[in-house]
Amino acid sequence: MCKEGVEKTEDAPHKASHAGMVGGVDADLARTQHTAVYHRVSALLGQYVDGMGDRGKKVIKFASPAEILEVFGSVCADDGGAERERGASADEVVRLCELVLDYSVRTSSPLFFNQLYGRVDPVGLAADHVLSTLNTNAFTWEVAPVFTTLERALVRRLVDVFGLPEGAEGLFVPGGSMANMYGMHAARYAKVGAAVKREGHSAAGGQLVGFCSADAHYSYSKGANFMGIGTDNFVAVPVDHTPKGRGSMRADVLEEMVVAAKAEGKVPFMVGATSGTTVYGGFDDPVVLREVCDRHGMWLHLDGAWGGAAA
């Protein structure tokens, strides 16, 4: 009995380890290995960030899709070159991360030029690291007390900066396309009311129709498709490309199109303006467009595009 008791005591660490077995894998050992991989990859990323400003490095190490697949596939192939069924080892994971960095476009290079984005900000990168480490969401205050509180505070600050009325609200969205779709959704609700949630577009009493610049981003059409309005019912308004107009939507033609739509029994519900159209860089005049919208009971949405901050 004593001997058995001693054996159990000596074997306790082994027994404890097996208590963490999941699917035949020692969970504690796997966690330790994964943490080690994290530290090794973090070191790689640190070196990458330190070298972002190096003009001596190519912007891209070009390779065809087939060549990329061959390079990555060779890391996790068995000795005979065939694909393995088991997962990658820690060393292989780190090597794969090295290859990802090596074959990806170096968007933070001083030699990389793009009209929409550029070098990553190290402070923003650190913030991303914090967010990924916490691995939470902002669904409720209970799971994200800091983020939900800061989100509300930042919205209030932006309301003040832009001089919006008391009680104005805001959302942080994944990108411009979703921002435009949120605007279209808000516009439809403002025009039709809560009945649209129950009855759909029939509650509008006619075909909903919206308007945007002919140079506006295609996300307006995507939104019309996604929301069931129909791309034919989100009408492109001609643009004034004269030196005076500088790519802005023609408000006079817009009003004519709105009046014509009403005569056909349609229900104009919004105008999608743009501050800095994607290709031409035109700025629609929100003051003039606001006047047209007010005369016809329409919502005015302004797509910040790439010039919203300036506007």
Side-chain angles (χ1 to χ4, degrees), residues 117-310:
Y117 67 102
R119 182 173 184 170
V120 66
D121 179 64
V123 176
L125 187 59
D128 272 348
H129 197 164
V130 172
L131 294 175
S132 296
T133 300
L134 291 174
N135 193 35
T136 187
N137 60 67
F139 294 164
T140 63
W141 186 87
E142 287 79 5
V143 296
V146 174
F147 296 136
T148 52
T149 301
L150 290 179
E151 181 181 35
R152 292 172 64 87
L154 186 53
V155 167
R156 286 196 298 269
R157 176 57 179 157
L158 290 174
V159 165
D160 292 339
V161 168
F162 291 108
L164 300 177
E166 184 68 27
E169 299 177 343
L171 289 172
F172 293 96
V173 295
S177 291
M178 283 304 301
N180 282 344
M181 194 176 298
Y182 272 119
M184 295 172 69
H185 189 274
R188 181 179 63 179
Y189 188 88
K191 187 67 176 182
V192 184
V196 73
K197 298 171 65 175
R198 304 186 303 273
E199 304 170 27
H201 291 164
S202 62
Q207 175 61 59
L208 289 171
V209 59
F211 305 85
C212 66
S213 161
D215 288 346
H217 193 260
Y218 62 85
S219 55
Y220 281 121
S221 293
K222 287 199 302 181
N225 176 27
F226 187 82
M227 294 174 62
I229 295 170
T231 56
D232 287 348
N233 297 306
F234 216 88
V235 185
V237 180
V239 172
D240 183 356
H241 282 303
T242 66
K244 182 179 179 180
R246 295 183 296 180
S248 62
M249 187 193 312
R250 289 190 55 182
D252 57 335
V253 178
L254 166 65
E255 188 145 30
E256 293 174 359
M257 297 174 79
V258 171
V259 171
K262 285 184 172 181
E264 295 174 2
K266 295 181 179 180
V267 182
F269 76 108
M270 75 167 290
V271 171
T274 307
S275 285
T277 53
T278 309
V279 177
Y280 192 83
F283 281 72
D284 295 328
D285 187 336
V287 176
V288 175
L289 295 180
R290 175 76 273 167
E291 294 172 354
V292 175
C293 288
D294 287 344
R295 282 195 291 272
H296 297 280
M298 295 186 294
W299 180 282
L300 176 63
H301 172 73
L302 181 61
D303 176 9
W306 59 260

Side-chain angles (χ1 to χ4, degrees), residues 38-52 97-98 100-101 125 129:
Y38 161 77
H39 286 297
R40 292 173 63 184
V41 174
S42 294
L44 283 176
L45 293 175
Q47 295 171 7
Y48 186 88
V49 171
D50 290 341
M52 288 192 305
C97 291
E98 290 176 336
V100 168
L101 295 174
L125 187 59
H129 197 164

Side-chain angles (χ1 to χ4, degrees), residues 82-100:
E83 186 175 341
R84 292 194 312 252
E85 292 186 1
R86 70 170 180 82
S89 67
D91 288 340
E92 288 167 342
V93 170
V94 174
R95 178 55 184 155
L96 288 170
C97 291
E98 290 176 336
L99 291 173
V100 168

Side-chain angles (χ1 to χ4, degrees), residues 21-87:
M21 295 289 287
V22 178
V25 177
D26 188 324
D28 294 333
L29 178 59
R31 188 178 299 109
T32 300
Q33 292 174 335
H34 292 178
T35 301
V37 168
Y38 161 77
H39 286 297
R40 292 173 63 184
V41 174
S42 294
L44 283 176
L45 293 175
Q47 295 171 7
Y48 186 88
V49 171
D50 290 341
M52 288 192 305
D54 189 348
R55 292 175 176 270
K57 296 180 179 179
K58 292 182 178 180
V59 174
I60 182 173
K61 181 177 181 179
F62 182 80
S64 68
E67 290 170 330
I68 291 175
L69 289 174
E70 182 179 359
V71 170
F72 278 75
S74 65
V75 175
C76 294
D78 60 22
D79 294 337
E83 186 175 341
R84 292 194 312 252
E85 292 186 1
R86 70 170 180 82

Side-chain angles (χ1 to χ4, degrees), residues 1-12 15:
M1 290 292 292
C2 292
K3 182 178 180 182
E4 183 180 3
V6 171
E7 287 179 345
K8 287 185 177 181
T9 301
E10 292 174 347
D11 200 35
K15 295 292 186 181

